[in-house]
mmCIF file of all heavy atoms in Angstrom:
data_model
loop_
_atom_site.group_PDB
_atom_site.id
_atom_site.type_symbol
_atom_site.label_atom_id
_atom_site.label_comp_id
_atom_site.label_asym_id
_atom_site.label_seq_id
_atom_site.Cartn_x
_atom_site.Cartn_y
_atom_site.Cartn_z
ATOM 1 N N MET A 893 26.541 38.511 112.653
ATOM 2 C CA MET A 893 26.396 38.443 114.105
ATOM 3 C C MET A 893 27.568 37.603 114.712
ATOM 4 O O MET A 893 27.749 37.802 115.944
ATOM 5 C CB MET A 893 25.173 37.752 114.470
ATOM 6 C CG MET A 893 23.971 38.648 114.198
ATOM 7 S SD MET A 893 24.109 40.097 115.092
ATOM 8 C CE MET A 893 22.814 40.071 116.197
ATOM 9 N N GLU A 894 28.383 36.786 113.998
ATOM 10 C CA GLU A 894 29.362 36.084 114.622
ATOM 11 C C GLU A 894 30.467 37.025 115.051
ATOM 12 O O GLU A 894 31.384 36.548 115.834
ATOM 13 C CB GLU A 894 29.815 34.968 113.640
ATOM 14 C CG GLU A 894 28.875 33.985 113.381
ATOM 15 C CD GLU A 894 27.893 34.259 112.193
ATOM 16 O OE1 GLU A 894 28.310 35.120 111.382
ATOM 17 O OE2 GLU A 894 26.759 33.711 112.252
ATOM 18 N N ILE A 895 30.549 38.173 114.329
ATOM 19 C CA ILE A 895 31.606 39.111 114.619
ATOM 20 C C ILE A 895 31.593 39.632 116.032
ATOM 21 O O ILE A 895 32.595 39.960 116.875
ATOM 22 C CB ILE A 895 31.802 40.265 113.584
ATOM 23 C CG1 ILE A 895 32.932 41.038 113.774
ATOM 24 C CG2 ILE A 895 30.549 41.180 113.824
ATOM 25 C CD1 ILE A 895 34.230 40.217 113.210
ATOM 26 N N LEU A 896 30.448 39.634 116.660
ATOM 27 C CA LEU A 896 30.240 39.996 118.041
ATOM 28 C C LEU A 896 30.929 39.172 118.945
ATOM 29 O O LEU A 896 31.324 39.623 120.113
ATOM 30 C CB LEU A 896 28.616 40.084 118.283
ATOM 31 C CG LEU A 896 27.937 41.217 117.718
ATOM 32 C CD1 LEU A 896 26.417 41.159 118.065
ATOM 33 C CD2 LEU A 896 28.642 42.517 118.038
ATOM 34 N N VAL A 897 31.026 37.792 118.643
ATOM 35 C CA VAL A 897 31.759 36.949 119.515
ATOM 36 C C VAL A 897 33.167 37.365 119.630
ATOM 37 O O VAL A 897 33.799 37.199 120.772
ATOM 38 C CB VAL A 897 31.728 35.627 118.945
ATOM 39 C CG1 VAL A 897 32.509 34.558 119.753
ATOM 40 C CG2 VAL A 897 30.183 35.065 118.804
ATOM 41 N N ILE A 898 33.692 38.033 118.738
ATOM 42 C CA ILE A 898 35.106 38.487 118.745
ATOM 43 C C ILE A 898 35.192 39.857 119.362
ATOM 44 O O ILE A 898 36.045 40.222 120.216
ATOM 45 C CB ILE A 898 35.786 38.491 117.321
ATOM 46 C CG1 ILE A 898 35.834 36.979 116.886
ATOM 47 C CG2 ILE A 898 37.126 39.064 117.288
ATOM 48 C CD1 ILE A 898 36.291 36.857 115.471
ATOM 49 N N LEU A 899 34.347 40.784 118.840
ATOM 50 C CA LEU A 899 34.378 42.156 119.230
ATOM 51 C C LEU A 899 34.035 42.420 120.766
ATOM 52 O O LEU A 899 34.631 43.322 121.317
ATOM 53 C CB LEU A 899 33.342 42.960 118.376
ATOM 54 C CG LEU A 899 33.818 43.065 116.851
ATOM 55 C CD1 LEU A 899 32.783 43.931 116.146
ATOM 56 C CD2 LEU A 899 35.192 43.812 116.767
ATOM 57 N N ILE A 900 33.077 41.741 121.246
ATOM 58 C CA ILE A 900 32.707 41.941 122.646
ATOM 59 C C ILE A 900 33.883 41.595 123.575
ATOM 60 O O ILE A 900 34.250 42.470 124.484
ATOM 61 C CB ILE A 900 31.353 41.303 123.086
ATOM 62 C CG1 ILE A 900 30.331 41.858 122.334
ATOM 63 C CG2 ILE A 900 31.288 41.185 124.436
ATOM 64 C CD1 ILE A 900 28.980 41.168 122.538
ATOM 65 N N PRO A 901 34.502 40.464 123.532
ATOM 66 C CA PRO A 901 35.688 40.174 124.463
ATOM 67 C C PRO A 901 36.861 41.105 124.190
ATOM 68 O O PRO A 901 37.489 41.530 125.066
ATOM 69 C CB PRO A 901 36.161 38.676 124.010
ATOM 70 C CG PRO A 901 34.895 38.104 123.463
ATOM 71 C CD PRO A 901 34.124 39.159 122.755
ATOM 72 N N VAL A 902 37.067 41.584 122.924
ATOM 73 C CA VAL A 902 38.201 42.458 122.616
ATOM 74 C C VAL A 902 37.903 43.822 123.184
ATOM 75 O O VAL A 902 38.721 44.455 123.820
ATOM 76 C CB VAL A 902 38.374 42.565 121.088
ATOM 77 C CG1 VAL A 902 39.321 43.725 120.755
ATOM 78 C CG2 VAL A 902 38.956 41.299 120.446
ATOM 79 N N SER A 903 36.612 44.109 123.147
ATOM 80 C CA SER A 903 36.295 45.578 123.744
ATOM 81 C C SER A 903 36.410 45.449 125.220
ATOM 82 O O SER A 903 36.832 46.455 125.867
ATOM 83 C CB SER A 903 35.031 46.031 123.186
ATOM 84 O OG SER A 903 33.984 45.152 123.764
ATOM 85 N N LEU A 904 36.028 44.487 125.841
ATOM 86 C CA LEU A 904 36.135 44.262 127.364
ATOM 87 C C LEU A 904 37.582 44.190 127.654
ATOM 88 O O LEU A 904 38.053 44.819 128.731
ATOM 89 C CB LEU A 904 35.354 42.923 127.735
ATOM 90 C CG LEU A 904 33.871 43.036 127.725
ATOM 91 C CD1 LEU A 904 33.244 41.667 128.074
ATOM 92 C CD2 LEU A 904 33.345 44.218 128.554
ATOM 93 N N ALA A 905 38.387 43.621 126.889
ATOM 94 C CA ALA A 905 39.894 43.505 127.222
ATOM 95 C C ALA A 905 40.531 44.860 127.129
ATOM 96 O O ALA A 905 41.373 45.235 127.944
ATOM 97 C CB ALA A 905 40.591 42.489 126.333
ATOM 98 N N LEU A 906 40.089 45.629 126.091
ATOM 99 C CA LEU A 906 40.719 46.989 125.929
ATOM 100 C C LEU A 906 40.202 47.959 127.111
ATOM 101 O O LEU A 906 41.008 48.612 127.536
ATOM 102 C CB LEU A 906 40.302 47.473 124.618
ATOM 103 C CG LEU A 906 41.018 46.881 123.298
ATOM 104 C CD1 LEU A 906 40.403 47.565 122.133
ATOM 105 C CD2 LEU A 906 42.421 47.162 123.533
ATOM 106 N N GLY A 907 39.044 47.684 127.509
ATOM 107 C CA GLY A 907 38.534 48.529 128.611
ATOM 108 C C GLY A 907 39.214 48.199 129.948
ATOM 109 O O GLY A 907 39.523 49.088 130.685
ATOM 110 N N ALA A 908 39.489 46.854 130.128
ATOM 111 C CA ALA A 908 40.125 46.452 131.310
ATOM 112 C C ALA A 908 41.651 46.910 131.276
ATOM 113 O O ALA A 908 42.164 47.200 132.314
ATOM 114 C CB ALA A 908 40.109 44.929 131.306
ATOM 115 N N ALA A 909 42.223 46.911 130.069
ATOM 116 C CA ALA A 909 43.626 47.474 130.039
ATOM 117 C C ALA A 909 43.667 48.981 130.216
ATOM 118 O O ALA A 909 44.587 49.487 130.958
ATOM 119 C CB ALA A 909 44.134 47.171 128.542
ATOM 120 N N GLY A 910 42.626 49.769 129.806
ATOM 121 C CA GLY A 910 42.570 51.090 130.090
ATOM 122 C C GLY A 910 42.382 51.368 131.626
ATOM 123 O O GLY A 910 43.007 52.314 132.145
ATOM 124 N N LEU A 911 41.567 50.663 132.198
ATOM 125 C CA LEU A 911 41.312 50.816 133.677
ATOM 126 C C LEU A 911 42.526 50.404 134.414
ATOM 127 O O LEU A 911 42.927 51.051 135.378
ATOM 128 C CB LEU A 911 40.042 49.846 134.129
ATOM 129 C CG LEU A 911 39.769 50.015 135.528
ATOM 130 C CD1 LEU A 911 39.252 51.339 135.882
ATOM 131 C CD2 LEU A 911 38.635 48.893 135.873
ATOM 132 N N GLY A 912 43.197 49.435 134.027
ATOM 133 C CA GLY A 912 44.399 49.002 134.610
ATOM 134 C C GLY A 912 45.467 50.049 134.507
ATOM 135 O O GLY A 912 46.279 50.347 135.491
ATOM 136 N N ALA A 913 45.596 50.687 133.379
ATOM 137 C CA ALA A 913 46.621 51.834 133.217
ATOM 138 C C ALA A 913 46.231 53.036 133.960
ATOM 139 O O ALA A 913 47.219 53.709 134.657
ATOM 140 C CB ALA A 913 46.612 52.099 131.700
ATOM 141 N N PHE A 914 44.934 53.227 134.094
ATOM 142 C CA PHE A 914 44.563 54.380 135.008
ATOM 143 C C PHE A 914 44.822 54.049 136.407
ATOM 144 O O PHE A 914 45.304 55.042 137.167
ATOM 145 C CB PHE A 914 42.995 54.650 134.765
ATOM 146 C CG PHE A 914 42.422 55.752 135.704
ATOM 147 C CD1 PHE A 914 42.745 57.015 135.450
ATOM 148 C CD2 PHE A 914 41.644 55.419 136.597
ATOM 149 C CE1 PHE A 914 42.303 58.064 136.249
ATOM 150 C CE2 PHE A 914 41.102 56.480 137.455
ATOM 151 C CZ PHE A 914 41.428 57.752 137.289
ATOM 152 N N LEU A 915 44.463 52.880 136.978
ATOM 153 C CA LEU A 915 44.728 52.570 138.244
ATOM 154 C C LEU A 915 46.368 52.536 138.677
ATOM 155 O O LEU A 915 46.764 52.906 139.734
ATOM 156 C CB LEU A 915 44.139 51.283 138.620
ATOM 157 C CG LEU A 915 42.610 51.225 138.664
ATOM 158 C CD1 LEU A 915 42.031 49.787 138.959
ATOM 159 C CD2 LEU A 915 42.052 52.126 139.723
ATOM 160 N N TRP A 916 47.094 52.081 137.632
ATOM 161 C CA TRP A 916 48.491 52.093 137.784
ATOM 162 C C TRP A 916 48.909 53.566 138.041
ATOM 163 O O TRP A 916 49.857 53.989 138.820
ATOM 164 C CB TRP A 916 49.256 51.458 136.636
ATOM 165 C CG TRP A 916 50.646 51.599 136.666
ATOM 166 C CD1 TRP A 916 51.642 50.844 137.253
ATOM 167 C CD2 TRP A 916 51.494 52.612 136.085
ATOM 168 N NE1 TRP A 916 52.785 51.286 137.208
ATOM 169 C CE2 TRP A 916 52.828 52.373 136.391
ATOM 170 C CE3 TRP A 916 51.081 53.684 135.264
ATOM 171 C CZ2 TRP A 916 53.845 53.299 136.019
ATOM 172 C CZ3 TRP A 916 52.224 54.558 134.838
ATOM 173 C CH2 TRP A 916 53.582 54.268 135.282
ATOM 174 N N ALA A 917 48.440 54.481 137.093
ATOM 175 C CA ALA A 917 48.919 55.869 137.152
ATOM 176 C C ALA A 917 48.476 56.494 138.484
ATOM 177 O O ALA A 917 49.140 57.322 139.097
ATOM 178 C CB ALA A 917 48.203 56.695 136.061
ATOM 179 N N LEU A 918 47.338 56.183 139.072
ATOM 180 C CA LEU A 918 46.841 56.766 140.313
ATOM 181 C C LEU A 918 47.821 56.172 141.517
ATOM 182 O O LEU A 918 48.102 56.977 142.412
ATOM 183 C CB LEU A 918 45.392 56.207 140.568
ATOM 184 C CG LEU A 918 44.374 56.967 139.893
ATOM 185 C CD1 LEU A 918 42.854 56.483 140.406
ATOM 186 C CD2 LEU A 918 44.512 58.424 140.429
ATOM 187 N N ARG A 919 48.151 54.952 141.446
ATOM 188 C CA ARG A 919 48.957 54.313 142.480
ATOM 189 C C ARG A 919 50.353 54.846 142.384
ATOM 190 O O ARG A 919 51.118 54.901 143.495
ATOM 191 C CB ARG A 919 48.956 52.793 142.377
ATOM 192 C CG ARG A 919 47.659 52.150 142.689
ATOM 193 C CD ARG A 919 47.643 50.751 142.657
ATOM 194 N NE ARG A 919 47.770 50.274 144.059
ATOM 195 C CZ ARG A 919 48.010 49.181 144.371
ATOM 196 N NH1 ARG A 919 48.366 48.224 143.588
ATOM 197 N NH2 ARG A 919 48.202 48.909 145.648
ATOM 198 N N ASN A 920 50.916 55.250 141.267
ATOM 199 C CA ASN A 920 52.246 55.665 141.112
ATOM 200 C C ASN A 920 52.289 57.345 141.186
ATOM 201 O O ASN A 920 53.125 57.927 140.779
ATOM 202 C CB ASN A 920 52.901 55.189 139.895
ATOM 203 C CG ASN A 920 53.190 53.827 139.943
ATOM 204 O OD1 ASN A 920 53.862 53.338 140.959
ATOM 205 N ND2 ASN A 920 52.630 52.966 139.100
ATOM 206 N N ARG A 921 51.176 57.871 141.684
ATOM 207 C CA ARG A 921 51.057 59.322 141.896
ATOM 208 C C ARG A 921 51.365 60.139 140.618
ATOM 209 O O ARG A 921 52.140 61.163 140.817
ATOM 210 C CB ARG A 921 52.079 59.657 142.998
ATOM 211 C CG ARG A 921 51.690 58.953 144.284
ATOM 212 C CD ARG A 921 52.453 59.293 145.550
ATOM 213 N NE ARG A 921 53.846 59.581 145.320
ATOM 214 C CZ ARG A 921 54.718 59.727 146.128
ATOM 215 N NH1 ARG A 921 54.449 59.785 147.449
ATOM 216 N NH2 ARG A 921 56.072 59.925 145.865
ATOM 217 N N GLN A 922 50.915 59.849 139.521
ATOM 218 C CA GLN A 922 51.083 60.567 138.324
ATOM 219 C C GLN A 922 50.266 61.777 138.203
ATOM 220 O O GLN A 922 50.620 62.574 137.482
ATOM 221 C CB GLN A 922 50.714 59.625 137.102
ATOM 222 C CG GLN A 922 51.576 58.311 136.987
ATOM 223 C CD GLN A 922 53.145 58.710 136.715
ATOM 224 O OE1 GLN A 922 53.333 59.552 135.775
ATOM 225 N NE2 GLN A 922 54.050 58.119 137.393
ATOM 226 N N PHE A 923 49.283 61.835 139.099
ATOM 227 C CA PHE A 923 48.402 63.104 138.860
ATOM 228 C C PHE A 923 48.522 63.964 140.122
ATOM 229 O O PHE A 923 47.698 64.805 140.491
ATOM 230 C CB PHE A 923 47.017 62.564 138.867
ATOM 231 C CG PHE A 923 46.731 61.702 137.615
ATOM 232 C CD1 PHE A 923 46.488 60.396 137.785
ATOM 233 C CD2 PHE A 923 46.828 62.246 136.280
ATOM 234 C CE1 PHE A 923 46.179 59.561 136.751
ATOM 235 C CE2 PHE A 923 46.541 61.395 135.331
ATOM 236 C CZ PHE A 923 46.261 60.028 135.543
ATOM 237 N N GLU A 924 49.579 63.831 140.955
ATOM 238 C CA GLU A 924 49.816 64.594 142.104
ATOM 239 C C GLU A 924 50.088 66.129 141.843
ATOM 240 O O GLU A 924 49.646 66.947 142.504
ATOM 241 C CB GLU A 924 50.868 63.967 143.069
ATOM 242 C CG GLU A 924 50.469 62.632 143.567
ATOM 243 C CD GLU A 924 50.434 62.726 144.926
ATOM 244 O OE1 GLU A 924 51.007 63.584 145.645
ATOM 245 O OE2 GLU A 924 49.738 61.786 145.459
ATOM 246 N N ASP A 925 50.878 66.268 140.950
ATOM 247 C CA ASP A 925 51.411 67.705 140.649
ATOM 248 C C ASP A 925 51.416 67.963 139.144
ATOM 249 O O ASP A 925 52.517 68.156 138.643
ATOM 250 C CB ASP A 925 52.682 68.002 141.352
ATOM 251 C CG ASP A 925 53.139 69.372 141.189
ATOM 252 O OD1 ASP A 925 52.158 70.368 140.931
ATOM 253 O OD2 ASP A 925 54.314 69.745 141.406
ATOM 254 N N PRO A 926 50.442 67.942 138.394
ATOM 255 C CA PRO A 926 50.411 68.114 136.945
ATOM 256 C C PRO A 926 50.981 69.493 136.559
ATOM 257 O O PRO A 926 51.630 69.681 135.465
ATOM 258 C CB PRO A 926 48.994 67.910 136.423
ATOM 259 C CG PRO A 926 48.264 68.018 137.668
ATOM 260 C CD PRO A 926 48.940 67.701 138.882
ATOM 261 N N LYS A 927 50.516 70.473 137.279
ATOM 262 C CA LYS A 927 51.046 71.888 136.996
ATOM 263 C C LYS A 927 52.557 72.081 137.257
ATOM 264 O O LYS A 927 53.212 72.528 136.328
ATOM 265 C CB LYS A 927 50.225 72.943 137.725
ATOM 266 C CG LYS A 927 50.556 74.297 137.435
ATOM 267 C CD LYS A 927 49.827 75.270 138.312
ATOM 268 C CE LYS A 927 50.214 76.710 137.911
ATOM 269 N NZ LYS A 927 49.736 77.691 138.873
ATOM 270 N N GLY A 928 53.042 71.507 138.278
ATOM 271 C CA GLY A 928 54.492 71.554 138.511
ATOM 272 C C GLY A 928 55.187 70.769 137.423
ATOM 273 O O GLY A 928 56.304 71.149 137.031
ATOM 274 N N ASP A 929 54.836 69.577 137.061
ATOM 275 C CA ASP A 929 55.465 68.786 136.028
ATOM 276 C C ASP A 929 55.459 69.534 134.725
ATOM 277 O O ASP A 929 56.461 69.652 134.003
ATOM 278 C CB ASP A 929 54.768 67.463 135.799
ATOM 279 C CG ASP A 929 54.908 66.555 137.005
ATOM 280 O OD1 ASP A 929 55.864 66.760 137.763
ATOM 281 O OD2 ASP A 929 54.079 65.691 137.083
ATOM 282 N N GLY A 930 54.388 70.273 134.445
ATOM 283 C CA GLY A 930 54.337 71.000 133.185
ATOM 284 C C GLY A 930 55.249 72.255 133.209
ATOM 285 O O GLY A 930 56.023 72.566 132.217
ATOM 286 N N GLU A 931 55.492 72.871 134.331
ATOM 287 C CA GLU A 931 56.371 73.932 134.482
ATOM 288 C C GLU A 931 57.871 73.384 134.434
ATOM 289 O O GLU A 931 58.828 74.014 133.995
ATOM 290 C CB GLU A 931 56.132 74.759 135.765
ATOM 291 C CG GLU A 931 54.847 75.417 135.630
ATOM 292 C CD GLU A 931 54.422 76.175 136.888
ATOM 293 O OE1 GLU A 931 55.253 76.156 137.836
ATOM 294 O OE2 GLU A 931 53.393 76.940 136.886
ATOM 295 N N ARG A 932 58.146 72.195 135.047
ATOM 296 C CA ARG A 932 59.473 71.753 135.153
ATOM 297 C C ARG A 932 59.983 71.306 133.815
ATOM 298 O O ARG A 932 61.241 71.342 133.500
ATOM 299 C CB ARG A 932 59.633 70.538 136.170
ATOM 300 C CG ARG A 932 59.740 71.069 137.516
ATOM 301 C CD ARG A 932 60.120 69.799 138.465
ATOM 302 N NE ARG A 932 58.891 68.874 138.529
ATOM 303 C CZ ARG A 932 57.871 69.051 139.328
ATOM 304 N NH1 ARG A 932 57.796 70.066 140.126
ATOM 305 N NH2 ARG A 932 57.059 68.130 139.375
ATOM 306 N N VAL A 933 59.093 71.004 132.874
ATOM 307 C CA VAL A 933 59.462 70.563 131.561
ATOM 308 C C VAL A 933 60.079 71.818 130.782
ATOM 309 O O VAL A 933 60.989 71.735 130.134
ATOM 310 C CB VAL A 933 58.293 70.042 130.775
ATOM 311 C CG1 VAL A 933 58.612 69.819 129.294
ATOM 312 C CG2 VAL A 933 57.822 68.692 131.285
ATOM 313 N N LEU A 934 59.456 72.904 131.044
ATOM 314 C CA LEU A 934 59.897 74.239 130.361
ATOM 315 C C LEU A 934 61.013 74.920 131.032
ATOM 316 O O LEU A 934 61.721 75.679 130.515
ATOM 317 C CB LEU A 934 58.627 75.138 130.219
ATOM 318 C CG LEU A 934 57.499 74.577 129.451
ATOM 319 C CD1 LEU A 934 56.380 75.594 129.558
ATOM 320 C CD2 LEU A 934 57.837 74.348 128.018
ATOM 321 N N SER A 935 61.378 74.514 132.349
ATOM 322 C CA SER A 935 62.453 75.194 133.122
ATOM 323 C C SER A 935 63.733 74.423 132.831
ATOM 324 O O SER A 935 63.785 73.222 132.798
ATOM 325 C CB SER A 935 62.086 75.115 134.607
ATOM 326 O OG SER A 935 63.029 75.666 135.334
ATOM 327 N N ASP A 936 64.742 75.178 132.722
ATOM 328 C CA ASP A 936 66.124 74.604 132.658
ATOM 329 C C ASP A 936 66.915 74.584 134.090
ATOM 330 O O ASP A 936 68.036 74.323 134.114
ATOM 331 C CB ASP A 936 66.919 75.248 131.556
ATOM 332 C CG ASP A 936 67.208 76.756 131.891
ATOM 333 O OD1 ASP A 936 66.568 77.316 132.894
ATOM 334 O OD2 ASP A 936 67.994 77.450 131.200
ATOM 335 N N ARG A 937 66.077 74.798 135.050
ATOM 336 C CA ARG A 937 66.785 74.965 136.419
ATOM 337 C C ARG A 937 67.346 73.713 136.954
ATOM 338 O O ARG A 937 68.458 73.707 137.483
ATOM 339 C CB ARG A 937 65.592 75.447 137.410
ATOM 340 C CG ARG A 937 66.239 75.865 138.710
ATOM 341 C CD ARG A 937 65.110 76.497 139.596
ATOM 342 N NE ARG A 937 65.629 76.706 140.975
ATOM 343 C CZ ARG A 937 64.955 77.067 141.864
ATOM 344 N NH1 ARG A 937 63.660 77.255 141.927
ATOM 345 N NH2 ARG A 937 65.513 77.171 143.123
ATOM 346 N N TRP A 938 66.656 72.418 136.704
ATOM 347 C CA TRP A 938 67.126 71.269 137.158
ATOM 348 C C TRP A 938 67.482 70.287 136.167
ATOM 349 O O TRP A 938 67.369 69.045 136.407
ATOM 350 C CB TRP A 938 66.082 70.664 138.133
ATOM 351 C CG TRP A 938 65.717 71.483 139.264
ATOM 352 C CD1 TRP A 938 64.563 72.236 139.357
ATOM 353 C CD2 TRP A 938 66.427 71.996 140.379
ATOM 354 N NE1 TRP A 938 64.402 73.022 140.383
ATOM 355 C CE2 TRP A 938 65.622 72.827 141.177
ATOM 356 C CE3 TRP A 938 67.747 71.622 140.807
ATOM 357 C CZ2 TRP A 938 66.208 73.349 142.315
ATOM 358 C CZ3 TRP A 938 68.187 72.277 142.014
ATOM 359 C CH2 TRP A 938 67.366 73.063 142.718
ATOM 360 N N ASP A 939 67.801 70.792 134.973
ATOM 361 C CA ASP A 939 68.086 69.906 133.855
ATOM 362 C C ASP A 939 69.404 69.088 134.136
ATOM 363 O O ASP A 939 69.497 67.844 133.767
ATOM 364 C CB ASP A 939 68.141 70.549 132.589
ATOM 365 C CG ASP A 939 66.747 70.870 132.062
ATOM 366 O OD1 ASP A 939 65.749 70.364 132.503
ATOM 367 O OD2 ASP A 939 66.690 71.552 131.060
ATOM 368 N N ASP A 940 70.474 69.736 134.474
ATOM 369 C CA ASP A 940 71.764 69.127 134.590
ATOM 370 C C ASP A 940 71.950 68.198 135.871
ATOM 371 O O ASP A 940 72.568 67.188 135.838
ATOM 372 C CB ASP A 940 72.848 70.107 134.671
ATOM 373 C CG ASP A 940 72.919 70.947 133.247
ATOM 374 O OD1 ASP A 940 72.394 70.395 132.234
ATOM 375 O OD2 ASP A 940 73.220 72.081 133.294
ATOM 376 N N HIS A 941 71.292 68.614 137.014
ATOM 377 C CA HIS A 941 71.418 67.855 138.281
ATOM 378 C C HIS A 941 70.092 67.689 138.793
ATOM 379 O O HIS A 941 69.212 68.406 138.705
ATOM 380 C CB HIS A 941 72.266 68.722 139.201
ATOM 381 C CG HIS A 941 73.648 69.011 138.586
ATOM 382 N ND1 HIS A 941 74.652 68.135 138.414
ATOM 383 C CD2 HIS A 941 74.090 70.320 138.174
ATOM 384 C CE1 HIS A 941 75.642 68.778 137.891
ATOM 385 N NE2 HIS A 941 75.415 70.094 137.708
ATOM 386 N N PRO A 942 70.009 66.487 139.617
ATOM 387 C CA PRO A 942 68.653 66.327 140.257
ATOM 388 C C PRO A 942 68.582 67.347 141.374
ATOM 389 O O PRO A 942 69.451 67.913 141.896
ATOM 390 C CB PRO A 942 68.751 64.887 140.922
ATOM 391 C CG PRO A 942 70.262 64.652 140.860
ATOM 392 C CD PRO A 942 70.806 65.459 139.820
ATOM 393 N N ARG A 943 67.242 67.609 141.721
ATOM 394 C CA ARG A 943 66.966 68.457 142.696
ATOM 395 C C ARG A 943 67.636 68.028 144.012
ATOM 396 O O ARG A 943 67.519 66.897 144.415
ATOM 397 C CB ARG A 943 65.428 68.575 142.866
ATOM 398 C CG ARG A 943 64.834 69.785 143.558
ATOM 399 C CD ARG A 943 63.439 69.792 143.392
ATOM 400 N NE ARG A 943 62.956 70.659 144.379
ATOM 401 C CZ ARG A 943 61.719 71.125 144.484
ATOM 402 N NH1 ARG A 943 60.749 70.435 143.716
ATOM 403 N NH2 ARG A 943 61.235 71.921 145.342
ATOM 404 N N PRO A 944 68.187 68.983 144.807
ATOM 405 C CA PRO A 944 68.950 68.624 145.940
ATOM 406 C C PRO A 944 68.177 67.957 147.040
ATOM 407 O O PRO A 944 68.651 67.006 147.712
ATOM 408 C CB PRO A 944 69.423 69.905 146.494
ATOM 409 C CG PRO A 944 69.291 70.882 145.451
ATOM 410 C CD PRO A 944 68.268 70.375 144.455
ATOM 411 N N ASP A 945 66.834 68.240 147.261
ATOM 412 C CA ASP A 945 66.085 67.456 148.259
ATOM 413 C C ASP A 945 65.456 66.190 147.786
ATOM 414 O O ASP A 945 64.827 65.502 148.616
ATOM 415 C CB ASP A 945 65.068 68.396 148.850
ATOM 416 C CG ASP A 945 64.004 68.945 147.747
ATOM 417 O OD1 ASP A 945 64.393 68.992 146.533
ATOM 418 O OD2 ASP A 945 62.815 69.121 148.110
ATOM 419 N N THR A 946 65.637 65.856 146.612
ATOM 420 C CA THR A 946 65.051 64.551 146.054
ATOM 421 C C THR A 946 66.053 63.397 146.414
ATOM 422 O O THR A 946 67.352 63.526 146.105
ATOM 423 C CB THR A 946 64.982 64.739 144.491
ATOM 424 O OG1 THR A 946 64.236 65.860 144.309
ATOM 425 C CG2 THR A 946 64.446 63.368 143.970
ATOM 426 N N PRO A 947 65.620 62.355 147.056
ATOM 427 C CA PRO A 947 66.537 61.355 147.390
ATOM 428 C C PRO A 947 66.927 60.514 145.982
ATOM 429 O O PRO A 947 66.166 60.374 145.154
ATOM 430 C CB PRO A 947 65.607 60.317 148.213
ATOM 431 C CG PRO A 947 64.228 60.708 147.930
ATOM 432 C CD PRO A 947 64.316 62.196 147.651
ATOM 433 N N PRO A 948 68.166 60.044 146.007
ATOM 434 C CA PRO A 948 68.640 59.339 144.749
ATOM 435 C C PRO A 948 67.861 57.999 144.581
ATOM 436 O O PRO A 948 67.528 57.399 145.592
ATOM 437 C CB PRO A 948 70.139 59.103 144.978
ATOM 438 C CG PRO A 948 70.325 59.261 146.497
ATOM 439 C CD PRO A 948 69.293 60.118 147.102
ATOM 440 N N ASP A 949 67.689 57.670 143.351
ATOM 441 C CA ASP A 949 66.910 56.418 143.127
ATOM 442 C C ASP A 949 67.825 55.291 143.248
ATOM 443 O O ASP A 949 68.997 55.183 142.925
ATOM 444 C CB ASP A 949 66.391 56.528 141.767
ATOM 445 C CG ASP A 949 65.180 57.374 141.673
ATOM 446 O OD1 ASP A 949 64.658 57.610 142.654
ATOM 447 O OD2 ASP A 949 65.011 57.987 140.520
#
């Protein structure tokens, strides 16, 4: 039963880390265009140069 003293905080920390990663992904718009991202990976149209209407970083 002493192992629960370790496992419960570890599981809560892992859950909080997962929730934090999910919220970070939502705030950084990672789920806005999943279909377009999947298609751009397979396309060689914009591989060499950034898309013209995209502002430079």
Side-chain angles (χ1 to χ4, degrees):
M893 285 307 244
E894 293 86 24
I895 194 70
L896 291 178
V897 174
I898 296 171
L899 289 179
I900 289 174
V902 168
S903 64
L904 289 175
L906 288 174
L911 181 63
F914 176 70
L915 292 175
W916 174 85
L918 280 179
R919 297 184 94 196
N920 288 303
R921 303 185 315 188
Q922 297 294 314
F923 303 111
E924 294 247 333
D925 187 18
K927 184 179 178 186
D929 289 340
E931 291 176 359
R932 279 190 292 277
V933 168
L934 299 175
S935 173
D936 59 351
R937 188 172 173 191
W938 304 108
D939 279 350
D940 296 333
H941 304 288
R943 197 172 165 176
D945 60 333
T946 304
D949 292 331

